[in-house]
Amino acid sequence: MDVLLLGAGGREHALLKAIQASPECGRVWAAPGNGGMAGADVAPIDENSPAAVARFATDNGVDLVVIGPEAPLVAGVADACRDAGVPVFGPGAEAAQLEGSKLFAKRVMERAGVPTAAYASFTEEAPALAYVEEQGAPLVVKADGLAAGKGVVVAQTVEEAAEAVRSCFSGAFGEAGSCVVVEEMLTGPECSLLSVTDGTTVVPLACAQDHKRALEGDLGPNTGGMGVYSPVPFVTPQEQAAMETANEKVVRTLAAMGIPYRGVIYGGFMLTPEGPKVLEFNARFGDPETQVIVPRFKGDLLRFLYAAATGTLDAAMASWDDDWAVSVVLVSEGYPGSYEKGKPITGIEEAEEVPGVTVYHAGTALADDGTLVTAGGRVLDVTAVAPTFEGARDAAYAACDRIGFEGKTLRRDIGAKALRGREAWEV
């Protein structure tokens, strides 16, 4: 089975490794790929161009297109591939609005009866600011559209919330900030629950917990993710069931609206005292969640994705290793703000000599002389799998210390809070 994989991050590198491990895997192309995605040929196309992707897939006899990032989904790449008769893993543009528009997602959740935060939406600055003053803090301010995980501000004061509103309407997030959603702030630990669906069957994956803030102690601005672990030790069976049901309800509701959903539905949940409530939905595999979910997946991932793309999904195709997985993200100095690129990277082979460790490339590239260099904010995902949570954390950090590049930055507390138990979020 020949595969075209769209994307260039750690998520795509993790998917690539798992796809290549399938005995049914033939040739794999990546568009655009990154400096560590060996074994995949580079497809010289724009990943966000529906026509270009569909044409390449048909011209090269591609059996499955796997879409990693959200932008190609919202652009309609999956629709173009399906129209051309090519199986594709990922929802169409209309369904991808679940991530592409937070307001659309809220309305779907209301229709589905899925618990979420109270909210209001605005297309003008003045009424948004008036609402902030009326509600008081804390509040969560979100740019409605895609903002690479950075368009969300958790505001502890009215002044912070007002500044976030002004930032959106001033163009800080481009068109994504032309509509603003202001929500009540939910409390509790966060948890991600991803499910794979062919539009009818919905198969839950393993839980994971991301660390979105840039600084230790969950301080600083939101990022695309600084580290993650799986499973989540304090999730109760009742909470697990409630999250699975929420994902299923949304798939069923979209179908009732005439919007088929095929691919990953990613629920970001807050485990509140009243039960899990949805913070957001994403329409694709999480990054960095994929880097701990895929290593624990038991089964043939390529067959699993193909089944979802072709309407033949079976829950028996997915099971989970009992081991723990922890991934620490190494980022460029300055991320999520401005940062420099082109810094030589050393020590990856030495890092992977630590038992259980795999280093997934995210923001990397090969220089003209073949040197591996930094090419993004999130540079590498250092993932360790071990029989215990503590063992996985220790191995991940031991591997991180073997990798070097100028400005290397990381959080040293990935998973530390979870080791203290649920009460760590109740202080």
Side-chain angles (χ1 to χ4, degrees):
M1 197 183 301
D2 293 343
V3 179
L4 171 60
L5 173 63
L6 304 186
R11 163 185 51 217
E12 287 76 32
H13 193 193
L15 291 172
L16 173 66
K17 279 183 170 287
I19 287 169
Q20 289 175 322
S22 169
E24 296 185 25
C25 182
R27 187 175 183 182
V28 182
W29 289 271
N34 63 39
M37 292 170 71
D41 297 315
V42 175
I45 55 173
D46 178 0
E47 64 180 310
N48 296 314
S49 168
V53 174
R55 188 181 312 113
F56 181 92
T58 53
D59 289 350
N60 290 276
V62 168
D63 298 294
L64 178 66
V65 176
V66 177
I67 302 177
E70 58 273 22
L73 295 170
V74 173
V77 169
D79 300 294
C81 291
R82 289 194 181 99
D83 289 345
V86 179
V88 56
F89 182 84
E94 197 173 7
Q97 284 302 298
L98 198 64
E99 177 169 3
S101 168
K102 294 176 178 63
L103 180 57
F104 175 83
K106 284 289 193 181
R107 290 172 175 167
V108 172
M109 282 186 264
E110 287 176 335
R111 183 165 173 165
V114 169
T116 186
Y119 76 101
S121 64
F122 304 91
T123 55
E124 295 181 357
E125 182 177 302
L129 292 173
Y131 181 80
V132 166
E133 287 286 347
E134 176 190 332
Q135 294 297 309
L139 291 168
V140 180
V141 179
K142 299 180 176 181
D144 178 63
L146 299 179
K150 304 178 189 74
V152 177
V153 173
V154 180
Q156 299 295 336
T157 66
V158 168
E159 291 73 20
E160 283 182 274
E163 179 55 35
V165 167
R166 293 189 191 96
S167 179
C168 286
F169 284 114
S170 70
F173 303 107
E175 187 62 27
S178 61
C179 176
V180 174
V181 175
V182 183
E183 295 182 350
E184 67 169 321
M185 191 182 81
L186 302 176
T187 58
E190 290 187 38
C191 180
S192 301
L193 190 280
L194 286 65
S195 300
V196 168
T197 180
D198 61 3
T200 303
T201 301
V202 183
V203 180
L205 305 184
C207 282
Q209 188 182 58
D210 187 14
H211 296 62
K212 295 185 183 300
R213 296 297 192 96
L215 305 177
E216 292 175 12
D218 292 325
L219 302 174
N222 269 355
T223 71
M226 295 295 292
V228 61
Y229 60 84
S230 177
V232 182
F234 47 77
V235 170
T236 67
Q238 294 80 9
E239 289 171 329
Q240 175 78 21
M243 291 188 289
E244 292 177 8
T245 298
N247 286 356
E248 290 173 9
K249 280 185 172 181
V250 168
V251 172
R252 309 265 182 258
T253 298
L254 287 168
M257 295 167 63
I259 305 174
Y261 195 106
R262 285 166 283 181
V264 173
I265 179 168
Y266 163 157
F269 294 88
M270 185 73 83
L271 304 180
T272 77
E274 297 81 37
K277 294 186 179 183
V278 176
L279 295 169
E280 64 179 2
F281 277 111
N282 294 321
R284 36 71 192 181
F285 277 108
D287 189 345
E289 288 90 348
T290 304
Q291 291 86 300
V292 290
I293 291 173
V294 166
R296 296 186 59 233
F297 181 82
K298 292 170 67 175
D300 187 319
L301 187 71
L302 177 54
R303 288 188 61 214
F304 187 58
L305 301 183
Y306 186 78
T310 56
T312 57
L313 192 63
D314 187 332
M317 300 175 77
S319 59
W320 302 96
D321 196 303
D322 290 334
D323 282 352
W324 294 80
V326 174
S327 187
V328 179
V329 183
L330 303 183
V331 306
S332 298
E333 185 176 12
Y335 175 81
S338 60
Y339 52 84
E340 296 181 358
K341 301 179 181 180
K343 307 298 184 183
I345 303 169
T346 61
I348 290 178
E349 289 184 6
E350 292 82 356
E352 291 191 321
E353 291 173 358
V354 177
V357 167
T358 303
V359 179
Y360 297 115
H361 292 241
T364 70
L366 293 175
D368 292 340
D369 63 359
T371 301
L372 184 71
V373 298
T374 64
R378 293 189 293 171
V379 179
L380 298 166
D381 302 293
V382 182
T383 300
V385 177
T388 67
F389 197 175
E390 294 90 340
R393 286 189 78 248
D394 291 346
Y397 280 112
C400 287
D401 290 339
R402 299 186 179 193
I403 296 172
F405 58 87
E406 184 183 335
K408 181 184 82 172
T409 304
L410 70 159
R411 280 184 56 168
R412 292 278 177 183
D413 62 347
I414 304 302
K417 202 170 181 180
L419 288 171
R420 306 205 314 266
R422 187 72 167 250
E423 58 273 13
W425 279 267
E426 297 171 357
V427 176

